[in-house]
Amino acid sequence: MPHLRIILILLFIALNTINVLAQDKPFNVVNISKDGAQYIKFGMNLQVWGRYAELNAGSKIGKNEVDDTYDIVIRRLRLQAMGMLTENIFFHLQFGQNNINFTQNSGPSNAPLSVMDALGEYHFNKSLHIGGGLTAWGAGTTRYSANSSSSQLTLDTPMYQQFINTSSTFGNRNLSIYAKGDLGKFNYRAAITNPYRNSTNNLGLNSTVSTETPRAQYSGILTYSFFDKESLEDAYHKGTYLGTKKVFNLALGYMTQAKAMWHLTPDATIAYDDMKVLGFDVFYDSPLSEKGNAITAYASYNNCDYGKNYIQSVSTPNPAVGDGSLINGSGAGFIGVGTGNIYYAQLGYLFAKSDNQEKKGRFQPYIATQVAALEALDEPMTMYEVGANYYTTGTFGPKISLNYQNRAVFDKTLVGQYKQSDRLGMVVLQCQVSF
């Protein structure tokens, strides 16, 4: 019966897609009330990657150590519905799956759809919405802790902003209660989360995530908007508006969880560390002329305290067998999170519309970089990306992206900080279909 329900949902969305495409809208909207104040939206996003990656030393495909690999990945699949059922009641349901490639289930993939968002909200007024459920409203401290995957500027969101939450679950959603709303030029989000328990015990001299029952996690982001305000309908921030809005935002975020981390002291007793993360970021997106050319810029800073020498590899999706013993992580991973300071920036330029109205395609090159100055590293980890998006209809629907990423890798040493030993690359061609 659950499979039958999913098939019926897919069939309903597919039948309504015709209307969506004809109306050139990002979602299919079904109005419940005549004035459109009560409505239900349906949406879908599919991202398929073709990838070549140079792999970190010690990475395995199956039982064999290999230096590089090619693979095809379903990076994301999303099916969702959301809307206002009454004047005050909002809901959001989203099903999906991430990172389906040849390593999934060690064979042909039959990965089921997972529940990614399931929440209900009560809207007292514009200044106060209170909700709860499985959600990303308390995901982290900076903009792309909760990202709108269909509107990303770069090939993928800066994943370290989601990995910063060491207790996060599938797709960086958690069981939370939250409040959000608009206060003049400000908007806010604040959440109390019941974190998932870590099941992997790596207790040692350096800080790791505790396997004990986790305490409550508290997080929030306060944003000031100089120009157009962004929607608070769902938790996910857009990466670019393709010149349709003028947005300039400054945001300050926090996240804390008592005794989330632990490590052994020299006398072999257990010491606990609180997880404390601060975030600051700035986002600018604006048209530059009536011809439709536009600029998108983003920069962020995180100060992260997870205890002594904590580090975490960022490897999404992993093309190799997962191996936590490798200092950089297996596959195309890099040390992107840890105790210390993390900096990130991206810049994109959208070319003007063609004078020929029949040519709707838009071209958007971009660059991005991450610098992780961490306590455990001899020098900062640096990662940079360069790429481009081609929007075939000038919208977020069909999009083709090409991206090159270059990352620093480090060697594990017996004494002292880890030292950079090499740089490796990855090339990805993506096709996105979205409505």
Side-chain angles (χ1 to χ4, degrees):
M1 289 301 293
H3 295 290
L4 178 59
R5 293 191 190 99
I6 292 173
I7 292 170
L8 290 174
I9 292 171
L10 291 172
L11 179 60
F12 179 81
I13 293 173
L15 291 173
N16 281 280
T17 302
I18 299 172
N19 293 331
V20 175
L21 297 177
Q23 297 169 17
D24 195 27
K25 291 182 179 180
F27 286 95
N28 186 17
V29 181
V30 177
N31 288 328
I32 299 175
S33 62
K34 292 182 179 180
D35 62 359
Q38 284 85 58
Y39 61 89
I40 299 177
K41 296 180 180 179
F42 297 92
M44 183 275 287
N45 185 33
L46 172 66
Q47 296 173 342
V48 180
W49 286 12
R51 173 173 60 174
Y52 167 76
E54 297 177 315
L55 303 184
N56 299 333
S59 295
K60 292 182 178 180
I61 303 295
K63 297 182 179 180
N64 302 319
E65 285 196 14
V66 294
D67 296 325
D68 58 5
T69 190
Y70 299 88
D71 67 341
I72 298 170
V73 186
I74 296 179
R75 176 65 182 94
R76 290 182 180 89
L77 171 62
R78 302 285 187 269
L79 300 170
Q80 67 175 325
M82 68 175 73
M84 296 295 301
L85 298 180
T86 71
E87 292 182 357
N88 307 102
I89 302 297
F90 175 84
F91 82 98
H92 185 192
L93 296 175
Q94 183 166 214
F95 301 87
Q97 188 57 266
N98 292 336
N99 309 328
I100 301 172
N101 68 356
F102 68 95
T103 67
Q104 185 90 28
N105 300 331
S106 300
S109 175
N110 59 353
L113 293 179
S114 298
V115 178
M116 306 191 76
D117 290 271
L119 63 87
E121 284 178 10
Y122 188 86
H123 294 189
F124 291 90
N125 49 52
K126 289 184 178 180
S127 300
L128 181 60
H129 302 169
I130 292 181
L134 182 60
T135 174
W137 281 108
T141 65
T142 37
R143 183 178 185 87
Y144 298 124
S145 299
N147 68 297
S148 169
S149 59
S150 63
S151 65
Q152 293 166 169
L153 172 64
T154 51
L155 174 82
D156 209 342
T157 192
M159 289 302 300
Y160 82 91
Q161 293 191 12
Q162 298 181 14
F163 279 53
I164 272 175
N165 188 345
T166 59
S167 297
S168 65
T169 183
F170 187 77
N172 208 33
R173 283 85 167 173
N174 291 279
L175 294 168
S176 305
I177 56 174
Y178 61 89
K180 63 183 176 74
D182 287 314
L183 299 171
K185 286 282 188 178
F186 289 93
N187 71 62
Y188 70 93
R189 58 178 70 194
I192 302 174
T193 291
N194 183 191
Y196 287 81
R197 188 177 71 85
N198 172 43
S199 60
T200 302
N201 189 342
N202 290 318
L203 181 61
L205 295 178
N206 291 332
S207 183
T208 58
V209 182
S210 169
T211 61
E212 295 184 356
T213 301
R215 303 193 178 193
Q217 184 181 102
Y218 303 90
S219 63
I221 300 176
L222 181 66
T223 302
Y224 183 83
S225 301
F226 289 92
F227 301 125
D228 295 345
K229 297 203 71 172
E230 297 185 275
S231 171
L232 286 175
E233 182 180 49
D234 61 46
Y236 304 105
H237 292 100
K238 287 187 178 295
T240 178
Y241 282 96
L242 300 182
T244 61
K245 292 174 73 76
K246 185 175 184 180
V247 177
F248 180 29
N249 289 348
L250 297 178
L252 181 66
Y254 76 95
M255 181 176 359
T256 183
Q257 182 181 333
K259 295 187 176 181
M261 321 297 292
W262 63 4
H263 67 273
L264 289 175
T265 63
D267 60 359
T269 61
I270 298 176
Y272 295 88
D273 298 295
D274 298 341
M275 179 184 71
K276 294 175 286 187
V277 182
L278 290 175
F280 173 78
D281 61 11
V282 54
F283 176 75
Y284 181 75
D285 192 286
S286 177
L288 299 177
S289 73
E290 294 181 356
K291 295 183 178 180
N293 55 326
I295 189 170
T296 302
Y298 174 74
S300 67
Y301 163 73
N302 284 102
N303 175 261
C304 307
D305 184 358
Y306 304 98
K308 179 184 176 183
N309 287 332
Y310 176 77
I311 57 171
Q312 185 177 5
S313 170
V314 176
S315 182
T316 304
N318 193 348
V321 176
D323 187 345
S325 69
L326 301 178
I327 180 64
N328 302 281
S330 62
F334 58 87
I335 303 172
V337 174
T339 295
N341 297 305
I342 305 174
Y343 309 85
Y344 179 84
Q346 59 182 212
L347 177 67
Y349 177 77
L350 180 68
F351 280 88
K353 298 176 182 177
S354 172
D355 293 332
N356 184 346
Q357 294 185 357
E358 294 183 0
K359 295 182 178 180
K360 296 183 178 181
R362 309 288 299 280
F363 184 66
Q364 184 185 47
Y366 61 79
I367 55 174
T369 187
Q370 179 186 344
V371 178
L374 306 181
E375 180 181 272
L377 304 183
D378 180 62
E379 60 182 292
M381 189 292 305
T382 56
M383 180 277 294
Y384 66 83
E385 294 179 310
V386 58
N389 301 312
Y390 180 68
Y391 303 91
T392 62
T393 63
T395 70
F396 291 120
K399 179 178 78 168
I400 297 172
S401 302
L402 181 64
N403 185 86
Y404 172 74
Q405 181 192 92
N406 187 275
R407 66 191 188 276
V409 295
F410 287 75
D411 275 347
K412 202 169 191 175
T413 56
L414 295 177
V415 180
Q417 297 169 308
Y418 305 145
K419 298 182 183 297
Q420 182 176 327
S421 59
D422 201 356
R423 298 197 67 88
L424 298 174
M426 179 174 72
V427 179
V428 179
L429 178 65
Q430 173 186 265
C431 177
Q432 171 177 293
V433 179
S434 178
F435 69 84

